[in-house]
Amino acid sequence: MKEIPKIKLELTANDKVLEIVGWISLFAIWSLTIVNYNSLPDIIPIHYNAAGEADGFGGKANILTLPLISTILFVGLTILNKFPHILNYPTIITKENAQRQYTIATKLIRYLKFIIVITVGFISFRTIQNAHGKADGLGSWFTPLFLVLVLFPLLIFIVKSVNERRE
């Protein structure tokens, strides 16, 4: 079995901006949740169906799970992104293609981290609005948009990675 190359990647300016905006967004979710916590009613929406309608309710302390999950995923993916050689790729990683494959994969993870934080932030915001009677659900457009925001970059990653193999 071949040794998988280990390369330390340098962040581009765009990578740094996305990282900073991601951390700021994570802080904003926590701030939004903490600032609004005391004003929430005792029972709030805690689950939404695919149509974006609230279909599960629970205590207001459940609102804290949203920023907590977002933080765990964001930090976990940030750590994982420092070790691109342990990820799975649709092509064999060699010394010749490692730099490009790792760059594609880490950009994908960085983008997905950001999408997760923004999505959880939106769900937190809408849950607070729903709890106060200012909104009704997430909106019917939420699920299709979320799927496009996640699946389209994955498709691009696979195409780029496979095309890189051919070059």
Side-chain angles (χ1 to χ4, degrees):
M1 188 150 120
K2 281 187 166 182
E3 179 76 20
I4 297 173
K6 295 177 184 175
I7 299 172
K8 180 162 174 45
L9 299 175
E10 297 297 322
L11 296 180
T12 66
N14 288 341
D15 294 336
K16 291 175 184 175
V17 167
L18 197 53
E19 284 292 330
I20 291 167
V21 172
W23 283 106
I24 291 169
S25 300
L26 192 59
F27 177 76
I29 294 170
W30 277 105
S31 298
L32 173 75
T33 304
I34 291 167
V35 165
N36 287 285
Y37 185 80
N38 287 332
S39 69
L40 290 173
D42 291 335
I43 303 297
I44 64 167
I46 60 168
H47 188 268
Y48 298 89
N49 63 21
E53 302 160 341
D55 65 354
F57 299 86
K60 74 179 187 177
N62 285 297
I63 194 76
L64 298 172
T65 60
L66 292 169
L68 181 62
I69 289 170
S70 183
T71 300
I72 291 168
L73 288 172
F74 191 87
V75 170
L77 289 171
T78 298
I79 293 167
L80 178 65
N81 223 12
K82 295 183 182 304
F83 305 98
H85 60 277
I86 67 172
L87 302 174
N88 288 324
Y89 294 87
T91 186
I92 295 170
I93 302 300
T94 64
K95 288 180 183 176
E96 295 75 30
N97 71 4
Q99 179 80 29
R100 181 75 177 130
Q101 291 290 337
Y102 294 174
T103 299
I104 294 168
T106 56
K107 286 185 183 305
L108 172 69
I109 290 173
R110 197 166 288 110
Y111 172 79
L112 290 176
K113 284 186 340 182
F114 179 69
I115 291 302
I116 288 167
V117 170
I118 294 302
T119 301
V120 172
F122 177 77
I123 294 169
S124 297
F125 175 73
R126 289 297 285 211
T127 297
I128 292 165
Q129 285 189 316
N130 287 318
H132 290 302
K134 295 179 182 174
D136 187 24
L138 297 175
S140 59
W141 52 268
F142 176 79
T143 301
L145 178 62
F146 176 72
L147 289 173
V148 168
L149 288 174
V150 171
L151 297 178
F152 187 68
L154 287 172
L155 179 63
I156 290 172
F157 162 74
I158 291 168
V159 169
K160 280 185 173 183
S161 188
V162 169
N163 283 342
E164 177 68 25
R165 176 177 59 188
R166 291 184 187 148
E167 293 175 9

